[in-house]
Amino acid sequence: MIVELDKTTVRMKNPDHVRGIISSIKKDGVNKLQVISDFDMTLSRFGWNGRRCPTSHNILDNSQVITEEGKKQLKDLLHYYYPIEIDPNRTLEEKCPLMVEWWTRAHDLLSQQKILKGDIAQIVKESEVMLREGFNEFFDQLHKNNVPLFIFSAGVGDILEEIIRQANVFHPNINVVSNYMDFDDNGILRGFKRPLIHTYNKNNTVLNNTEYFQQLSTKTSIILLGDSMGDLTMADGVTNVKNILKIGFLNDKVEEHRGKYLESYDIVLERDETLDVVNGILRYTFIET
Ligand SMILES: Nc1ccn([C@@H]2O[C@H](COP(=O)(O)O)[C@@H](O)[C@H]2O)c(=O)n1
Ligand SMILES: [Mg+2]
């Protein structure tokens, strides 16, 4: 029914279950659907031409406004904490305090760098960030069909919003919850707003002050898109879930992580830099039969 599911990048533990959820989402109709998505390495690309693409944090870390010493310190943090973030053998209890430590230390370093609000657009323009292939169709299909898109990111909200804006796909159906920068009256970065969102607290605990999901109580079908094990809890605050389809991009250390991803995500996309499968599912869901 969806040819994209035959791509060699696609793995499913239970293809019949997947077909069942997709049929149910289609049957319940587009008015019941919402999409919840991570941003970094899910809507943005993990790699291009053999090189790693930057996360929203890395865009700042690598930018011209950061001193050489600042760049070195931020890179040291990345090299120390990223392997911990993706380590399949560490528990959440072990990881969470270390993730708070990483984000706090990185945000403190960034806040010492005199980053100007007025520089953000240029910083993004000069970066090597890329949205996944097929992003235009993805954002446009959701917009045209009035499907809410909730972007839940432990990245930097100001940066990811600017990326989407520069790609001309920041439509009114999009809502973002992320780490937003806090600028002083002169437009100089002085910190980050609370609550701090890291990879493993992307759940209801950081959404308490938003009424987003309560307003969407009629949207009982969910397509969830993520790239980390932490993204699996992004829909925990949804009040009424009837159908949920979890699609996971497995970008890094594929063989090591395959088992856990297949247990947790309904569809796993291995080293797939496109939104082909997601677009195929949406197309099928939106077509009137
Ligand atoms: N200082 C940091 C902290 C985190 N990251 C990466 O950001 C990603 C989180 O954003 P999502 O949109 O995916 O929630 C995650 O991949 C971290 O590795 C970073 O690059 N620098
Ligand atoms: Mg991500």
Side-chain angles (χ1 to χ4, degrees), residues 38-41 55 57-58 61 78 82 85 102-103 106 152-155 199 202 227 231:
D38 167 54
F39 183 78
D40 287 309
M41 313 295 115
T55 63
H57 275 97
N58 303 153
D61 303 350
L78 180 72
Y82 177 67
E85 181 193 11
W102 180 15
W103 262 252
F152 198 171
S153 169
T199 312
K202 292 168 78 170
D227 77 294
D231 295 328

Side-chain angles (χ1 to χ4, degrees), residues 38-41 44-45 53-63 103 107 110 120 123-124 127 129-130 153-163 178-179 181 192:
D38 167 54
F39 183 78
D40 287 309
M41 313 295 115
S44 68
R45 287 183 72 120
C53 290
T55 63
S56 49
H57 275 97
N58 303 153
I59 290 173
L60 284 170
D61 303 350
N62 303 336
S63 76
W103 262 252
H107 288 180
L110 289 169
I120 298 296
I123 289 172
V124 169
S127 77
V129 72
M130 290 171 85
S153 169
V156 182
D158 311 67
I159 299 288
L160 74 88
E161 281 199 12
E162 185 59 30
I163 296 166
S178 185
N179 296 301
M181 300 164 100
F192 281 75

Side-chain angles (χ1 to χ4, degrees), residues 61-62 70-80:
D61 303 350
N62 303 336
K71 281 193 173 105
K72 187 192 165 299
Q73 290 176 318
L74 287 157
K75 196 152 270 144
D76 287 348
L77 291 181
L78 180 72
H79 289 156
Y80 179 74

Side-chain angles (χ1 to χ4, degrees), residues 89-102:
N89 301 314
R90 286 191 193 237
T91 64
L92 266 187
E93 288 69 31
E94 269 179 273
K95 286 186 186 190
C96 275
L98 293 166
M99 293 301 102
V100 172
E101 207 173 274
W102 180 15

